[in-house]
Amino acid sequence: MTTSYEFAYLLNVLSCAVLIARLAYLRLRHVYRMFSAYLMVALAAWAIFYVRLIFTSPLLSNYVVIWFGLQFLTWVVYVWMAYELLEAVLLRLPGILKFSRRLMFWMFGLATIISLLSAQNEYAVGGVRGLEGVGLVLDRAISSTVLIVLLAVLGFLFRFPVEIPRNLAAFSLSFVFFFGFNTVVDLARAYLSHSQGSGVNVDRFQLLSLIGVWLQTMCFLFLSCFLSKAGEKVPVSLRAQPAFKDRERLMGQLEALNTQLLRAARR
């Protein structure tokens, strides 16, 4: 499986670099700032990893600290990406946007606190402790929370006939796909580290990780092919267009909810 891993990770790095170049060519890096930042952090992580394999340096000797630092940057970008997606989708609904921001803030805070309190107990059995254990638990908690937020946004887009740019629709679907499987892999890591038959479980987890790398590569390649300058101007709706009366009713419900939340925020 080593050869499969090497090929998969190499293709993943190349697809990441292609997507960065594509965003730059289309001049979309400023539009999707946090996603571009995530891609740069991912490339930086791989660069440090390969430099550490080739060169011996005291600065790179404690790789767990470096890994945790890069993971911390990734978590910040994850959260910021979720906020940016909320703002883009709910730009014309400030009441719902303000409520969603507050709710997401408390969700992330609660998930972080619960993860920190359970980190030592959860990974003591699996032998992963200290900074690495905390990092793995936090990564699962933050990824899971981002996934819940993205699913809520996607459910909103499927429920109401709200139009968003085609590029944003592609990003939304890709994010759900990526964070969904990432959460599955993290949960599998937690489960397999506590169950019996460690050799078999390691193989299963490695297989899941390999599939995750391939799926992430597919997301990168999909976005590289699908994104376009015109995609920022072409509006699409993820919900099948309802009849005119149904559309008016749904949009009326949405506007009423937005107005109520704005009034509640002013109190």
Side-chain angles (χ1 to χ4, degrees), residues 57 113 162 185:
S57 171
I113 292 173
V162 176
V185 172

Side-chain angles (χ1 to χ4, degrees), residues 19-246:
L19 183 52
I20 291 174
R22 181 68 174 164
L23 289 170
Y25 173 75
L26 296 174
R27 297 182 180 179
L28 293 177
R29 285 188 303 177
H30 68 285
V31 179
Y32 303 101
R33 296 172 299 170
M34 286 302 104
F35 182 68
S36 299
Y38 164 71
L39 295 175
M40 296 301 295
V41 171
L43 278 186
W46 281 113
I48 293 175
F49 176 75
Y50 282 115
V51 168
R52 179 173 175 267
L53 291 179
I54 298 172
F55 301 102
T56 302
S57 171
L59 295 175
L60 300 176
S61 58
N62 194 349
Y63 185 69
V64 174
V65 176
I66 299 174
W67 170 83
F68 189 87
L70 290 171
Q71 283 296 107
F72 181 81
L73 289 177
T74 303
W75 299 329
V76 172
V77 173
Y78 281 171
V79 175
W80 209 329
M81 277 197 300
Y83 271 98
E84 279 196 342
L85 182 62
L86 275 180
E87 290 183 356
V89 172
L90 302 175
L91 183 61
R92 298 179 182 179
L93 300 165
I96 299 177
L97 175 59
K98 185 175 293 187
F99 172 79
S100 300
R101 283 174 176 169
R102 291 177 179 175
L103 179 61
M104 191 167 66
F105 173 81
W106 287 108
M107 285 174 61
F108 278 114
L110 183 62
T112 301
I113 292 173
I114 293 175
S115 299
L116 289 174
L117 292 176
S118 64
Q120 188 65 27
N121 291 333
E122 184 169 351
Y123 280 93
V125 177
V128 184
R129 304 179 182 180
L131 196 60
E132 186 178 2
V134 172
L136 291 173
V137 176
L138 280 176
D139 184 65
R140 176 167 58 82
I142 293 174
S143 295
S144 302
T145 308
V146 171
L147 176 62
I148 293 172
V149 172
L150 294 177
L151 287 174
V153 171
L154 205 61
F156 171 81
L157 292 174
F158 278 113
R159 176 70 176 86
F160 296 98
V162 176
E163 293 185 338
I164 59 175
R166 188 177 64 185
N167 285 346
L168 183 60
F171 270 105
S172 301
L173 293 172
S174 298
F175 287 165
V176 170
F177 191 63
F178 168 68
F179 281 104
F181 195 83
N182 192 43
T183 302
V184 170
V185 172
D186 287 340
L187 289 173
R189 180 195 291 118
Y191 172 76
L192 294 176
S193 65
H194 287 76
S195 58
Q196 301 297 322
S198 59
V200 176
N201 289 335
V202 168
D203 291 339
R204 290 176 179 174
F205 175 70
Q206 287 180 345
L207 179 60
L208 281 173
S209 299
L210 183 60
I211 295 174
V213 173
W214 277 109
L215 290 178
Q216 186 185 56
T217 301
M218 291 171 60
C219 288
F220 289 162
L221 294 176
F222 166 75
L223 289 173
S224 297
C225 297
F226 192 85
L227 295 178
S228 65
K229 291 182 180 180
E232 286 300 303
K233 300 177 181 179
V234 177
V236 297
S237 176
L238 296 183
R239 177 189 169 93
Q241 288 300 321
F244 180 78
K245 290 184 179 180
D246 291 335

